[in-house]
Amino acid sequence: MTAAFDPRTPAAERCPSYYSATLNQETHYPTLQGTHQVDVVIIGGGFTGVASAVELAERGLKVAIVESHKIGWGATGRNGGQVTGSLSGDEAMRKQMRRHLGEEVDDFIWHLRWRGHQIIQQRVEKYAIACDLKHGHLHAAYKPSHLPGLRADYEEAVRRGMGDEVSLLDRAQVRGLLESELYHGAIKNTRNLHLHPLNLCIGEARAAESLGALIFEHSEVLEIVHGERPAVVTAQGRIDARQVLLAGDVYHKLEPKKLKGKIFPAMGGIVTTEPLGDLAKRLNPEDLAVYDCRFVLDYYRMTADGRLLFGGGANYSGKDSRDIASELRPCIERTFPALKGVGIDFQWSCAMGIVINRIPQLGKLSDNVWYCQGYSGHGVATTHIMGEIMAQALTGHLGHYDTFAACQHIRVPFGDQLGNPMLAAGMWYYQMLEKLR
C-alpha cells in the first residue's frame, strides 16, 4: 500500500531523475541563519519563485528566496520539459475574465498563451543559460474524434498570424515524423519549445543571484509574520521585508486558514530510457516534443543524449506510484513498438498542483503578503507568465494581477481528504466521456 503524498517528508538532496543526473552545475546555497532585510522575500525556489525573483531583481528590488530543499527540487525539476501554448482552464478563464475584460478577453487569453515562450527564450539568451532549448511540438489526435478540435485550434492560430509556425497534419504526415501508428493527425507547432527544466531553473537562480538576490536552501519556512513589516521565520533565521510572496505551489502547508482546500496534489510519473543511439533519430527525426489530445494524456520527447523521456497516467488520488516504469512501459511500447523491452534508466514522480477550475490562483493573504499557485500540469510556461504578473503587482502595476485575482475558486472542505477523491472522481468521469468520443 502506498502512503499519501506529503511534500514535507525528508528526501534525498534531489529526486533521482534524469534531470538531476544531468545537471550543468549543482547548487550549494547556504541555510538561512540570522536576520536579513530585503524588499521582497519569496517562499519557494521553483519556477514561480525564481522567475519572480529575476523579474523583481531586474526592476532593482532587493530579493531573497527561501527554499525548504534545493532550488528546483519540486515539480519544477521533475516535469516533462514542454513549453506549449496550452493553458489549463482556458475556458473557465474566458468565462470568468469576461466580466473584467469584456470583449478583450479572447485576445488577452491568446496572447497569454505565448508570453511564457517569449520570457523563457529572452532569459535563456540574456543570461546564457544552457538548458537544451529546442523548437518543435506535435499535438496529436489519439482518436478520430479529436480531429475537429485540432482543426479549430489550427484555424485560430492561422487567423492570428501563426500560419508560418503551424501545420495541420493527416495520419500519413504524422507517420513521417514519428515511427508510430498511434495517431490520426496532429498540429505541428514550431513556436512551442522543449528543454531541460532543472537546468533552466538553476540558470535563472544564478541570474537572480547575479542581480543581487539572496538565495537560501534547506530553510523551511515555519511561519509568515503579517503586519506593516512582514517577515518569514525558519528554524535558524528570519527575513524582514516590505512584501512576501508565497510561491510554494502544492509543496507547502503554510497559511491553512486561507489556502487549505484550494489546491491538491496529483502525482505524475515520468521515465527515461537508456540511450537509443541511431534509433532516436529514426523514431523522431525532427526531435519534436509530443502530447496527445486525451484528458489523461501521454507526453514525451527525446533528451539531448538521445533517450526517450516519457510521462503520463496522472494519479489524482494524491498517492504516489510504487513502480512507474511498469505502469508506463506498456504506453511506450504501444506508442513505439520498436522500443519493446527497452531499458529504463530513470523513473520518478512529479506532484502537480491541481486547481478545481484549472485557473492559476493569485491573491493576497494580507496587505503585503501575496500568493501565486496552481498550474494544473502546465507549469513551465505559466509559471514564467505568473512571475512577470506578480512582479508587476508587487511594484504597483495591478492590471493583469487583478484580472486573475477576481476569478472565483472552489474551496473544498477538509482539504486533501475530500479534494483528492473529488479530483479522482472528476477525472474518472472525463475518462468515461473520452471513451464515448
Side-chain angles (χ1 to χ4, degrees), residues 321-334:
S321 170
R322 287 174 295 185
D323 191 347
I324 296 163
S326 293
E327 293 174 6
L328 291 182
R329 180 179 292 280
C331 304
I332 293 171
E333 294 179 355
R334 180 172 64 245

Side-chain angles (χ1 to χ4, degrees), residues 110-169:
W110 176 260
H111 293 300
L112 197 71
R113 290 183 183 280
W114 309 107
R115 181 57 187 152
H117 299 57
Q118 296 169 334
I119 294 169
I120 290 169
Q121 290 179 98
Q122 290 167 2
R123 193 160 295 160
V124 165
E125 181 177 358
K126 181 176 182 179
Y127 296 104
I129 300 172
C131 59
D132 304 332
L133 180 65
K134 301 172 186 176
H135 286 262
H137 177 265
L138 290 180
H139 190 190
Y142 198 87
K143 301 169 67 173
S145 57
H146 296 149
L147 292 171
L150 285 182
R151 177 171 291 279
D153 291 345
Y154 166 77
E155 289 173 350
E156 182 180 19
V158 171
R159 180 172 62 82
R160 289 184 175 272
M162 285 183 62
D164 292 339
E165 298 173 285
V166 294
S167 305
L168 187 63
L169 310 180

